[in-house]
Amino acid sequence: MLLHAKKSLKKMYPVAKNYFGALLPSHSFSVSDLVHPLRSSNRASRHAIPFKARSFTQCSLEGRAADQEIVIAMGSNVGDRVSTFDRALQLMKSSGVSITRHANLYETAPAYVTDQPRFLNSAIRGTTRLDPHELLKKLKEIEKEIGRTSGIRYGPRPIDLDILLYGNSQINSETLIVPHERIHERPFVLAPLVDLLGVSGDDGTETSWHSLSKCSGGFFELWNKLGGESIIGTECIKRVLPIGNCLLDWCERTLVMGVLNLTPDSFSDGGKFQQVEAAISQAKLLISEGADIIDIGAQSTRPFAKRLSPNEELERLIPVLDVITKIPEMEGKFLSVDTFYAEVASEAVKRGVHMINDVSGGQLDPKILKVAAELRVPYVAMHMRGDPSTMQSEQNLQYDDVCKEVASELYAHVREAELSGIPLWRIILDPGIGFSKKSKHNLEVIMGLKSIRREMGKMSIGASHVPILLGPSRKRFLGEICNRADPVERDVATVAAVTAGILNGANIVRVHNAAYGADAAKVCDALHKGKRWED
């Protein structure tokens, strides 16, 4: 059986490599991992039998004491689809399903019956002690509670919950077939399912799931047969980020985030926008120059900055928020709050902010993760070691492989966020340029964003596809390279760093000079489109 498993894994690896293209190096997958299974952060059930599917009869005879890993697909094309998904997640949690991972969110064209609204699709991975038919019954009850009624097959529905995988069991009964019999023909099912897998080959449960696909290359090969990554961003299927009342396709073009500091001590523009009138004027300027998002910060996070209390931060923030949310220029734009405090994030969102930008990734105030989950807004988790007073200490500047370690530490933030209730489709990652990094580290990260995504993919393919925010604007390392002591004189250098970042996979760029940033983004987007035309 071990020999058969090794052969299967060897067949599966080229397909995974094709899925990731050049992002996956030839050495990232080792069949020797079979000797030491279950090393991933999301370990398989101890009772799973890798590489050999069991029938439901076998599963039943072994008893139900152990948690079983499961995958449940979600679909909706009626009503407020995002809110429906949020409610479905809560109802699943209260019905005996512990959710451990989420797929990205996909907007997809309807299949089979095409004269109906577009769907949202996703999937979750979790554990349960419910047997398969008990789980099916619970899911049907959730569908009914949300408002689903009997209708035409494949027709419109407020919610659709399907069991794709249950442990490593094959089930074929009158009411339930697992794996789902039509996985192989549905990109709107396979894309979220693949998100819940990794490519490192050290998860026994995942290996058994691939064997259930009845395909030598597992679910990766099935996904590639339907077009794989080449169809993402087409009318067939798009990854989207729910923000405000929009579903944002962040791969369509690069988004520009304009910086608005309400602080007296920020390294670049401290003291310039402390008055409400000056702050609003700057916000209008950033928008006129092309900013899609205004990131408002009331606490400096430069090295060795004095930390404010939540109340002090709110005293600076609230007067500006109360005005900026009402100006007509904000129509169609988004507001972000740059804070690591749960209390500040909560108050800001109540006053109209659309997303939370946390430089600590939940490390300085862990309550912010629960708050972000409850607020149901996008959450930016940035990489930083320590806090602003310690981040540039010698200990926090030690890296053997900065891209690999940043990826690993960011993924730990992703896991904490997901387990706190923030679905992957609301997470944005920031590698933290200038935070806990020397100049050479900053350069390596900017040029190594693809490497960071690749390392993420070894742990979670879904996490490797979330939006990346990059913030090199006016940072010290640019001044060192260009001999520019005044941060305001680093805008041209910022354009160079932003351009390199976008061409290597950044989706959002955070800049002080929105005009320069927007122009750089437009050129990079045109280059990307030109490459697609050539392909």
Side-chain angles (χ1 to χ4, degrees):
M1 184 174 71
L2 185 60
L3 180 61
H4 171 70
K6 287 184 177 181
K7 290 179 178 178
S8 297
L9 289 169
K10 285 180 178 178
K11 290 179 180 178
M12 202 181 301
Y13 174 75
V15 184
K17 182 174 175 61
N18 185 44
Y19 174 80
F20 268 91
L23 294 182
L24 190 61
S26 58
H27 63 271
S28 68
F29 188 93
S30 172
V31 297
S32 65
D33 289 332
L34 289 169
V35 181
H36 305 287
L38 315 185
R39 292 182 298 177
S40 68
S41 60
N42 187 16
R43 296 176 183 265
S45 166
R46 289 172 298 155
H47 297 263
I49 303 176
F51 324 126
K52 182 178 179 182
R54 300 177 297 174
S55 70
F56 176 53
T57 302
Q58 288 174 307
C59 181
S60 300
L61 291 174
E62 291 176 11
R64 292 169 42 209
D67 287 344
Q68 293 291 331
E69 280 213 72
I70 57 172
V71 174
I72 297 172
M74 307 165 64
S76 172
N77 75 333
V78 173
D80 186 337
R81 299 168 296 173
V82 177
S83 293
T84 295
F85 274 17
D86 287 328
R87 189 176 178 199
L89 293 178
Q90 293 304 315
L91 290 173
M92 281 192 278
K93 290 175 184 176
S94 63
S95 299
V97 175
S98 176
I99 297 175
T100 56
R101 291 194 192 183
H102 308 76
N104 284 291
L105 193 63
Y106 295 85
E107 188 174 44
T108 64
Y112 310 117
V113 178
T114 57
D115 186 19
Q116 59 178 317
R118 290 174 67 82
F119 275 82
L120 279 190
N121 291 99
S122 191
I124 62 96
R125 178 171 171 175
T127 60
T128 188
R129 293 196 174 190
L130 298 170
D131 75 35
H133 290 89
E134 287 176 328
L135 177 59
L136 177 64
K137 181 181 177 182
K138 290 288 186 183
L139 296 181
K140 295 302 178 186
E141 290 173 355
I142 292 171
E143 289 180 342
K144 184 177 180 180
E145 182 170 343
I146 288 176
R148 181 170 180 178
T149 58
S150 58
I152 63 171
R153 192 178 188 192
Y154 305 128
R157 77 286 309 261
I159 190 66
D160 191 11
L161 302 173
D162 288 321
I163 304 171
L164 299 183
L165 296 163
Y166 183 94
N168 47 20
S169 300
Q170 289 180 298
I171 304 165
N172 194 337
S173 70
E174 292 183 3
T175 57
L176 181 62
I177 299 176
V178 176
H180 196 282
E181 59 185 331
R182 292 200 165 182
I183 287 179
H184 66 282
E185 65 185 43
R186 297 178 172 182
F188 58 88
V189 173
L190 273 173
L193 172 56
V194 168
D195 276 350
L196 298 171
L197 307 175
V199 299
S200 62
D202 61 0
D203 188 314
T205 294
E206 289 189 13
T207 305
S208 68
W209 284 349
H210 281 298
S211 71
L212 289 170
S213 71
K214 299 179 181 178
C215 188
S216 62
F219 290 112
F220 296 136
E221 183 172 329
L222 293 180
W223 173 228
N224 283 332
K225 285 180 177 179
L226 294 181
E229 277 298 295
S230 68
I231 66 172
I232 299 296
T234 67
E235 284 304 304
C236 171
I237 181 169
K238 299 178 180 182
R239 288 192 187 98
V240 291
L241 173 78
I243 179 170
N245 295 320
C246 302
L247 288 174
L248 200 61
D249 178 0
W250 71 87
C251 292
E252 186 177 6
R253 67 177 181 86
T254 305
L255 300 172
V256 177
M257 174 183 276
V259 180
L260 180 57
N261 288 318
L262 311 181
T263 56
D265 54 346
S266 289
F267 78 95
S268 172
D269 49 14
K272 289 186 176 182
F273 310 118
Q274 285 184 276
Q275 300 302 314
V276 173
E277 295 79 8
I280 298 302
S281 178
Q282 178 66 7
K284 291 178 178 179
L285 175 62
L286 291 168
I287 292 169
S288 70
E289 291 178 337
D292 302 288
I293 307 165
I294 303 298
D295 189 42
I296 304 178
Q299 172 145 212
S300 176
T301 52
R302 62 176 174 78
F304 311 110
K306 177 187 175 183
R307 186 187 299 191
L308 299 181
S309 69
N311 285 339
E312 290 172 316
E313 194 172 325
L314 284 169
E315 285 177 6
R316 293 178 180 174
L317 191 63
I318 288 175
V320 174
L321 286 182
D322 285 346
V323 177
I324 198 171
T325 53
K326 297 179 177 65
I327 63 174
E329 288 84 355
M330 282 305 304
E331 182 70 26
K333 305 297 181 180
F334 305 106
L335 284 174
S336 167
V337 62
D338 182 357
T339 186
F340 48 75
Y341 284 132
E343 183 180 339
V344 174
S346 179
E347 189 63 32
V349 172
K350 289 176 185 176
R351 292 174 181 268
V353 164
H354 304 98
M355 61 188 288
I356 299 166
N357 184 9
D358 178 6
V359 297
S360 79
Q363 303 307 294
L364 296 183
D365 183 358
K367 295 190 297 294
I368 199 170
L369 298 177
K370 287 289 186 182
V371 165
E374 292 167 0
L375 294 171
R376 298 177 179 177
V377 295
Y379 174 76
V380 181
M382 195 191 79
H383 176 267
M384 175 176 65
R385 292 173 172 177
D387 60 33
S389 68
T390 64
M391 64 183 183
Q392 296 301 108
S393 68
E394 192 62 30
Q395 179 181 358
N396 285 331
L397 292 173
Q398 297 302 312
Y399 296 93
D400 292 325
D401 183 328
V402 65
C403 289
K404 187 172 183 177
E405 290 170 60
V406 166
S408 177
E409 290 165 30
L410 273 179
Y411 185 65
H413 295 341
V414 171
R415 298 299 302 127
E416 290 178 19
E418 286 196 274
L419 293 173
S420 297
I422 305 175
L424 188 67
W425 65 70
R426 287 197 175 102
I427 295 176
I428 299 167
L429 295 177
D430 181 343
I433 300 299
F435 290 81
S436 310
K437 296 169 188 71
K438 297 178 182 178
S439 293
K440 66 174 184 177
H441 298 142
N442 292 320
L443 297 173
E444 288 174 23
V445 167
I446 291 171
M447 295 303 293
L449 294 181
K450 291 179 181 179
S451 173
I452 290 173
R453 287 194 187 275
R454 179 177 66 245
E455 292 296 329
M456 285 274 188
K458 295 177 183 179
M459 299 170 278
S460 162
I461 288 176
S464 75
H465 289 310
V466 304
I468 287 182
L469 186 155
L470 192 72
S473 186
R474 298 180 178 177
K475 293 290 174 70
R476 181 188 297 271
F477 79 102
L478 297 177
E480 292 174 355
I481 293 170
C482 300
N483 193 27
R484 300 286 183 182
D486 186 348
V488 177
E489 295 180 355
R490 301 171 190 166
D491 284 343
V492 175
T494 297
V495 168
V498 161
T499 298
I502 295 171
L503 294 178
N504 280 285
N507 308 105
I508 307 170
V509 290
R510 184 178 183 274
V511 293
H512 295 81
N513 189 317
Y516 286 4
D519 283 354
K522 289 173 185 175
V523 172
C524 291
D525 291 345
L527 290 169
H528 277 309
K529 289 179 181 178
K531 185 177 186 301
R532 285 201 294 270
W533 291 332
E534 291 174 5
D535 293 342

